[in-house]
Amino acid sequence: MSAANMYLWWGSGSGPCWKPMIVLAEKGLWKDCPNKLVQFSQKEHKGPDVMKLNPRGQVPTFKDGDLVINESAAICSYLDETFGTDKPLIPKSQPARAKCLQRMYESDNLQSKVMLPLIYYKMRTKKEDWDNELLAKNAAEAKEELKHWEGYLNENKFVAGNEFTMADIFVFVFIAMCFRQGAKLEEFPKIRKFYNELMERPAIKETMPPHWADSPSPNQMEGLL
Amino acid sequence: MSAANMYLWWGSGSGPCWKPMIVLAEKGLWKDCPNKLVQFSQKEHKGPDVMKLNPRGQVPTFKDGDLVINESAAICSYLDETFGTDKPLIPKSQPARAKCLQRMYESDNLQSKVMLPLIYYKMRTKKEDWDNELLAKNAAEAKEELKHWEGYLNENKFVAGNEFTMADIFVFVFIAMCFRQGAKLEEFPKIRKFYNELMERPAIKETMPPHWADSPSPNQMEGLL
């Protein structure tokens, strides 16, 4: 098992980047994986090294030898199936496998129903134009989405069962973003517990977005969730 | 190989529903799969039979015996790994496997950059409020996205190589929607060829959205793409 031939371009605080970083750390490969922390503010994700491998100019961009993979979920699956296969993050057997894949894909709802209508709305709209009524409506809909996940965690310790899986990584990056952005999630005790427990996980500590430690949060979810 | 224990709830013209239907047909299972054509206009996707298994009230909703799977991509993976495994739609070996998964996930860009800013924009905006300047800008961006796929099909017969894979199914349902909606895609001869050839594929003929045959298209992409 070696990371010597790999290379990962990533950005700090990007959920799609954080996913394969956690997988690499779970497999004991992150500390040896050659990588570049791309500065979004300098538009380094549109730089020639990234664009050559990923014409959309997005991170994560990843290669292992000659094999180039860009989509974060495809990178995660590749890493899981190639390294540490005795302890897979996506279970090999049914029905655990179907449940894990279901929750991995389902986590896209956290992007479309929680992140986009709250954080991205605020990022893309001038502060003086923020529509507080719309934001309150979006927050109510985001809570409807979060109720599904609270329910899954009420049934099981993790989102796809009682074992930690890839689905937990996919969900965690969104939940961590909510807390970073000042969400309290007081109505969601199981999600809070899930977050607190995963924050203690070595692979997650090792890969925490570096700028979170030394720059204040914009707290864009404060008072909303 | 049997479909007797399965059940699929689906809607006509829904891309997410069409994907697992094509997979079932490719595996020779569609004609024997118990199923219900859900009428969106009657809100049957919010009916008790669906809601019991899929609390978000969305289709496809699928079960095989006691195993419930809702997300279309998770259903497709399950079917591929369970039935007709001698002819998998997602290749088993690298690098073909990584390439196929990459393109499957990458097809989400066709939803976010081609479908949403054109068809969904028109569906969700009153006709008298359509902003033609915005639509022209969105169409130009959609063409930038389509250029990536034209390039892949310039390199290979199919989107993930020279063999037909799951990635082709994921891409085809979007491309077919473009043509149904009056797009000409004149600048994209390889995408047109891909579409024309796949339209002759038995599994695709067998599962074509039934209402496409007997109701006129709203042609919402006409003059845009």
Side-chain angles (χ1 to χ4, degrees), chain B residues 99-201:
Chain B
K99 180 66 70 171
C100 178
L101 288 171
Q102 154 90 15
R103 295 283 186 259
M104 285 165 59
Y105 287 111
E106 204 179 334
S107 70
D108 287 347
N109 288 296
L110 293 166
Q111 173 75 358
S112 62
K113 296 184 183 166
V114 182
M115 298 295 137
L116 279 171
L118 297 175
I119 298 180
Y120 288 71
Y121 171 84
K122 285 188 167 182
M123 283 168 65
R124 290 169 187 173
T125 311
K126 281 183 203 156
K127 192 163 182 176
E128 57 266 34
D129 293 338
W130 288 355
D131 178 339
N132 288 323
E133 206 170 312
L134 176 65
L135 278 167
K137 180 174 159 284
N138 290 352
E141 287 173 6
K143 286 183 185 179
E144 286 305 307
E145 173 56 31
L146 289 165
K147 275 185 196 165
H148 294 297
W149 298 96
E150 181 75 7
Y152 304 150
L153 290 167
N154 209 29
E155 279 172 30
N156 294 292
K157 183 168 161 55
F158 294 105
V159 299
N162 283 316
E163 302 293 330
F164 177 82
T165 68
M166 187 72 83
D168 297 296
I169 297 172
F170 278 38
V171 170
F172 172 79
V173 298
F174 291 118
I175 300 302
M177 194 81 70
C178 291
F179 281 103
R180 159 77 181 168
Q181 288 283 357
K184 298 275 181 276
L185 302 190
E186 282 169 353
E187 300 157 57
F188 304 99
K190 296 291 182 181
I191 294 178
R192 291 166 59 95
K193 184 164 178 281
F194 170 81
Y195 165 74
N196 287 328
E197 286 181 7
L198 263 62
M199 284 291 278
E200 295 303 315
R201 215 172 156 90

Side-chain angles (χ1 to χ4, degrees), chain A residues 123-135:
Chain A
M123 283 169 65
R124 290 168 187 174
T125 313
K126 282 184 201 156
K127 191 164 183 174
E128 57 267 32
D129 294 338
W130 288 356
D131 178 340
N132 287 324
E133 205 171 313
L134 177 64
L135 278 166

Side-chain angles (χ1 to χ4, degrees), chain A residues 54-196:
Chain A
N54 188 348
R56 286 191 183 83
Q58 294 172 333
V59 285
T61 287
F62 172 81
K63 68 188 190 78
D64 185 6
D66 292 334
L67 178 62
V68 177
I69 319 177
N70 298 322
E71 293 292 315
S72 63
I75 302 169
C76 289
S77 293
Y78 169 77
L79 292 170
D80 190 44
E81 292 173 355
T82 309
F83 302 98
T85 49
D86 54 322
K87 282 178 65 181
L89 290 163
I90 304 174
K92 297 286 181 199
S93 311
Q94 303 295 359
R97 182 174 180 81
K99 179 68 70 171
C100 178
L101 287 171
Q102 154 90 14
R103 295 282 185 259
M104 284 166 61
Y105 288 110
E106 205 179 333
S107 70
D108 287 347
N109 287 297
L110 292 165
Q111 173 75 358
S112 61
K113 296 184 183 165
V114 183
M115 298 295 137
L116 279 170
L118 297 175
I119 298 180
Y120 288 71
Y121 172 84
K122 285 189 167 183
M123 283 169 65
R124 290 168 187 174
T125 313
K126 282 184 201 156
K127 191 164 183 174
E128 57 267 32
D129 294 338
W130 288 356
D131 178 340
N132 287 324
E133 205 171 313
L134 177 64
L135 278 166
K137 180 175 159 284
N138 289 352
E141 286 174 5
K143 285 182 187 180
E144 287 305 307
E145 173 56 32
L146 290 166
K147 274 184 197 167
H148 293 296
W149 298 95
E150 181 75 6
Y152 304 151
L153 291 166
N154 209 30
E155 279 173 30
N156 293 292
K157 183 168 162 56
F158 295 104
V159 299
N162 282 316
E163 302 293 330
F164 177 83
T165 68
M166 188 71 83
D168 298 296
I169 297 172
F170 278 38
V171 171
F172 172 80
V173 299
F174 290 118
I175 300 301
M177 193 81 68
C178 291
F179 281 104
R180 159 77 182 169
Q181 288 283 359
K184 298 275 182 274
L185 302 191
E186 281 169 353
E187 300 156 56
F188 305 99
K190 297 290 182 180
I191 295 178
R192 290 166 60 94
K193 184 164 178 279
F194 170 81
Y195 166 74
N196 287 328

Side-chain angles (χ1 to χ4, degrees), chain B residues 16-27:
Chain B
C17 292
W18 200 4
K19 291 175 192 176
M21 290 164 69
I22 298 172
V23 175
L24 282 161
E26 289 284 344
K27 305 278 177 182

